Amino acid sequence: MRHLSLIAGLVLIAGAVQAQQLDWWQTGVIYQIYPRSYKDSNGDGIGDINGIISKLDYIASLGVAAIWLSPIYKSPMADFGYDISDFRDIDPLFGTLDDFKLLVAEAKSRNLGIIMDMVPNHSSDEHEWFVKSEQKIEPYTDYYFWQPAKGFDPNGAPIPPNNWLSVFGGSAWAWSELRQEFYLHQFHAKQPDFNYRNPAIVQELKDILTFWYDLGVYGFRWDAVTHMFEDPALPDEPVSGNPVDPNDYNYLKHIYTQNLPETPYTLSLYKAHTDEYSLNAGDGLHRVMMLEVWNPIEEVMQYYRNVSDFPFNFRFLTTMGAYSNGRDAENAIRGWVDNIPDNGWPNWVLGNHDISRVGSRLQLTDGAILTTLLLPGTSINYYGEELGMVDTYIPPEEVVDPAGYRDPPRTPMQWDDSQFAGFTTGPKPWLRVNDNYLTVNVAAEEAADESVLKIFRKLVALRKEPAIQFGTLHTTVVSYELVLAYAREAVNATDRSYMVVLNWSHDQTHVVNLSPGAFGAFPFEITNPTVEIRTIGSDIPYDNFDPSAFTLKPRAGCVVSFNAVRK
Ligand SMILES: *[C@@H]1O[C@H](CO)[C@@H](O)[C@H](O)[C@H]1NC(C)=O
Ligand SMILES: *[C@@H]1O[C@H](CO)[C@@H](O)[C@H](O)[C@H]1NC(C)=O
Ligand SMILES: *[C@@H]1O[C@H](CO)[C@@H](O)[C@H](O)[C@H]1NC(C)=O
Ligand SMILES: CC(=O)N[C@H]1CO[C@H](CO)[C@@H](O)[C@@H]1O
Ligand SMILES: [Ca+2]
Ligand SMILES: [Ca+2]
């Protein structure tokens, strides 16, 4: 049994523990929308801003605090919007800047913030800066990573400066006939890398942040920041020993092009800029900075402190699978909360646009949201998680993702049982709709007695409880490592405490005893228990809940409120 006091939110005054006010981004749930797939307003088969506006009442009904939008900037779409040609405009596929302003205003009137995506390592080659940089027009000459050829081969072809490879395969260097130099592209050749050693580019990005803050944006999620810096001495990278083609990215060990120590420092400049903006705005709104960092946990933790409000916690994505048990779930939780630096705020991510949906990956959705939404910290939830949407099989001839594997979690939101799940009125959505839309959809789940949607809403509402905001976290694993139970023990004994119990087993039923003295018990007596939420089909009786003997079917779980009595 392990315990954690969330000191971050508490101050000890004259022996009495008092709750500090937590901020919107800490108590709230952040709802990620992949805009192409949420709601199409004009029948072209692609989701857009007006579509999102038309669904704001639904989003507000979930109780979430903010919407994070995957990129909607102007882009030639060589990489679905991650190749930006104007950081201050909206792509016409999604609408106009005026549509965006309306979205911000309409969201705000429903108490919802809008969070934008920042893609810092490169722009599109069609960006005005790159076009001018290629012509050496000041001040753009050194905005990108230019290098002369190392020499010329016998046929007169330029030889790249070193052996660096692009994430998409092949040399990371592309030759510009015009400038007679190579530029670096860690991703697509249409995505030239910025030169972050040039203070002018650092300033440009600050100005872009200011532009969007002025439009009322509540913060940014920064895309995989690992590729921001490269070693300026341009050493060849060593061979990794992986049995892959020499043109494959994994052929080399990326010690000179990933996770350079300059990255957290540069990000801290943006964090300082953001905090300064909030201070000067004088509106009391904390603008949030969330980072995507896929590194080992010790490295990820370096991105707290003055670098961001939090780096995303991907433990449930990277350490858990369909056959993970209660112990694995406990490890995923403790691995984060026990490693977090002082004053660091935890967060929980179950899925996103780059990875198999949680309903497919862990083969459960209601149990997964039950497990993460009542933990201390911010919850980030991908659209459709609140319905139990799963990955969609895409036949090879319909694959559109340039990387080839990211279509299944990106299929259209399932609104109702009409054609294309109500996503579009046009003849064809950009990606097919999951066949299960007849039953897995918003309308059906609103109507059902029990549904993932209803569970999600109740969980979000419970996050307002003092015990969920400030309570001590206790975790335990019982029943042969199969059952994870955790409690949020209220700081004030008069407040209700909460317990979440989930049976991770696929095929066995156990009887659990969580009363004091029993194996794995909590250090308090559980009195007046009430079942608040149960997973679908679990048949856990709402009445007469006995914490000393209760049975959970395979994959079943519940949330129980109670009064904790310390002996
Ligand atoms: C506990 O109760 C006191 C007195 O009502 C209150 O001031 C304090 O904020 C509460 N603490 C928490 C963590 O809820
Ligand atoms: C952030 O903290 C690091 C380490 O203490 C420090 O070197 C850096 O200057 C800080 N960044 C800012 C913008 O103050
Ligand atoms: C969870 O389900 C498994 C598989 O059916 C079963 O063996 C175990 O007893 C159940 N655990 C609880 C606490 O009911
Ligand atoms: C730091 C950064 O922006 N990384 C991104 C670079 O571009 C690729 C491809 O668009 C993204 O996947 C990375 O996250
Ligand atoms: Ca559209
Ligand atoms: Ca870079």
Side-chain angles (χ1 to χ4, degrees):
M1 166 94 43
R2 291 183 283 175
H3 312 288
L4 167 91
S5 278
L6 243 202
I7 317 281
L10 301 174
V11 270
L12 207 61
I13 298 171
V17 178
Q18 293 221 323
Q20 279 181 346
Q21 202 63 16
L22 291 180
D23 209 355
W24 70 269
W25 59 275
Q26 298 175 300
T27 55
V29 171
I30 294 173
Y31 182 68
Q32 180 189 358
I33 288 182
Y34 191 70
R36 290 183 89 87
S37 296
Y38 204 61
K39 172 71 185 167
D40 175 22
S41 71
N42 61 354
D44 67 357
I46 296 177
D48 45 51
I49 292 174
N50 284 325
I52 296 171
I53 293 174
S54 73
K55 295 297 183 182
L56 284 173
D57 285 335
Y58 166 74
I59 299 168
S61 83
L62 297 174
V64 304
I67 299 167
W68 148 36
L69 299 172
S70 293
I72 51 174
Y73 305 101
K74 197 151 195 250
S75 162
M77 302 283 165
D79 187 19
F80 282 111
Y82 284 88
D83 49 322
I84 297 166
S85 55
D86 188 346
F87 285 87
R88 288 184 175 80
D89 205 353
I90 303 291
D91 195 87
L93 266 187
F94 300 118
T96 64
L97 208 49
D98 282 335
D99 296 336
F100 181 80
K101 289 176 188 166
L102 183 64
L103 171 67
V104 170
E106 289 289 321
K108 195 165 180 197
S109 73
R110 291 168 178 82
N111 256 321
L112 292 166
I114 299 291
I115 296 173
M116 292 287 272
D117 215 277
M118 178 49 69
V119 186
N121 73 275
H122 52 240
S123 73
S124 160
D125 62 343
E126 296 178 32
H127 196 292
E128 182 195 351
W129 298 341
F130 186 78
V131 174
K132 291 188 169 155
S133 188
E134 199 174 17
Q135 302 170 59
K136 292 197 177 176
I137 296 173
E138 289 302 341
Y140 305 103
T141 311
D142 293 323
Y143 269 35
Y144 296 84
F145 208 104
W146 292 101
Q147 285 296 321
K150 198 162 142 187
F152 292 85
D153 72 12
N155 300 323
I159 301 169
N162 62 22
N163 73 345
W164 293 354
L165 291 169
S166 141
V167 174
F168 293 158
S171 174
W173 298 95
W175 179 249
S176 160
E177 278 301 332
L178 186 62
R179 180 155 159 164
Q180 292 289 303
E181 281 187 311
F182 281 100
Y183 65 87
L184 178 76
H185 59 92
Q186 287 220 46
F187 292 86
H188 202 284
K190 286 185 68 63
Q191 294 169 312
D193 275 54
F194 286 134
N195 170 18
Y196 272 99
R197 294 181 201 276
N198 178 354
I201 200 82
V202 176
Q203 184 60 42
E204 287 281 8
L205 257 79
K206 283 187 187 171
D207 294 346
I208 290 165
L209 298 183
T210 303
F211 173 84
W212 293 101
Y213 291 146
D214 284 347
L215 289 181
V217 157
Y218 276 40
F220 283 88
R221 169 269 190 187
W222 292 65
D223 195 38
V225 290
T226 40
H227 303 273
M228 275 176 78
F229 279 91
E230 296 79 20
D231 191 321
L234 309 179
D236 274 350
E237 288 190 325
V239 169
S240 64
N242 291 332
V244 294
D245 182 278
N247 274 323
D248 189 296
Y249 186 61
N250 294 318
Y251 185 72
L252 300 177
K253 262 189 153 131
H254 305 291
I255 54 176
Y256 302 121
T257 55
Q258 272 195 26
N259 301 318
L260 295 204
E262 290 88 337
T263 304
Y265 171 70
T266 299
L267 289 167
S268 79
L269 300 175
Y270 296 121
K271 174 84 172 87
H273 177 74
T274 298
D275 290 346
E276 193 186 308
Y277 186 100
S278 295
L279 195 67
N280 292 339
D283 54 5
L285 178 69
H286 175 92
R287 288 156 183 86
V288 70
M289 181 161 168
M290 325 184 281
L291 302 181
E292 182 190 29
V293 192
W294 289 94
N295 297 11
I297 188 125
E298 321 75 63
E299 288 173 30
V300 173
M301 292 298 167
Q302 307 295 317
Y303 288 82
Y304 267 111
R305 304 200 166 89
N306 64 355
V307 183
S308 72
D309 288 305
F310 51 78
F312 281 155
N313 170 2
F314 292 132
R315 307 275 302 172
F316 275 88
L317 279 65
T318 54
T319 68
M320 301 272 296
Y323 287 89
S324 295
N325 62 17
R327 177 69 67 195
D328 300 322
E330 185 190 49
N331 288 339
I333 294 168
R334 309 270 9 157
W336 195 264
V337 295
D338 293 347
N339 282 308
I340 207 166
D342 286 350
N343 298 320
W345 184 251
N347 73 92
W348 309 95
V349 179
L350 284 174
N352 64 32
H353 58 292
D354 284 335
I355 188 149
S356 168
R357 281 183 175 276
V358 64
S360 299
R361 216 174 56 248
L362 301 189
Q363 291 179 13
L364 86 171
T365 304
D366 52 351
I369 59 178
L370 201 80
T371 303
T372 54
L373 271 152
L374 301 183
L375 288 168
T378 307
S379 181
I380 296 101
N381 292 94
Y382 187 51
Y383 82 95
E385 260 167 29
E386 79 275 26
L387 303 178
M389 275 175 63
V390 294
D391 290 344
T392 304
Y393 170 74
I394 307 293
E397 66 278 11
E398 289 179 24
V399 169
V400 290
D401 173 28
Y405 64 94
R406 296 172 301 183
D407 293 330
R410 296 179 174 181
T411 57
M413 175 71 172
Q414 293 162 209
W415 295 105
D416 55 41
D417 63 4
S418 67
Q419 197 186 26
F420 305 130
F423 162 72
T424 181
T425 52
K428 196 170 180 287
W430 76 284
L431 253 190
R432 64 162 60 204
V433 171
N434 195 296
D435 288 341
N436 70 10
Y437 78 95
L438 289 174
T439 49
V440 179
N441 68 60
V442 173
E445 297 197 24
E446 296 279 15
D449 286 340
E450 286 193 319
S451 66
V452 181
L453 178 58
K454 289 191 169 169
I455 291 175
F456 185 85
R457 275 208 189 101
K458 274 196 203 165
L459 288 166
V460 175
L462 282 182
R463 291 171 61 85
K464 296 203 172 64
E465 289 288 298
I468 305 302
Q469 297 201 1
F470 300 107
T472 305
L473 173 69
H474 305 268
T475 59
T476 186
V477 178
V478 294
S479 293
Y480 308 99
E481 313 277 81
L482 290 175
V483 175
L484 167 74
Y486 73 81
R488 303 298 309 280
E489 184 189 6
V491 175
N492 287 335
T494 49
D495 287 331
R496 295 289 274 176
S497 292
Y498 289 84
M499 173 168 76
V500 174
V501 193
L502 189 85
N503 184 5
W504 289 82
S505 167
H506 285 261
D507 48 22
Q508 309 161 40
T509 304
H510 289 287
V511 177
V512 170
N513 181 354
L514 289 169
S515 36
F519 171 76
F522 295 124
F524 44 74
E525 196 89 57
I526 294 164
T527 65
N528 306 321
T530 305
V531 174
E532 301 282 346
I533 302 177
R534 60 182 190 191
T535 55
I536 298 161
S538 62
D539 297 331
I540 295 162
Y542 281 111
D543 302 318
N544 304 322
F545 178 80
D546 178 2
S548 72
F550 65 97
T551 302
L552 296 172
K553 291 187 191 171
R555 314 296 274 172
C558 60
V559 176
V560 178
S561 68
F562 59 96
N563 290 99
V565 180
R566 289 268 181 166
K567 292 280 172 182

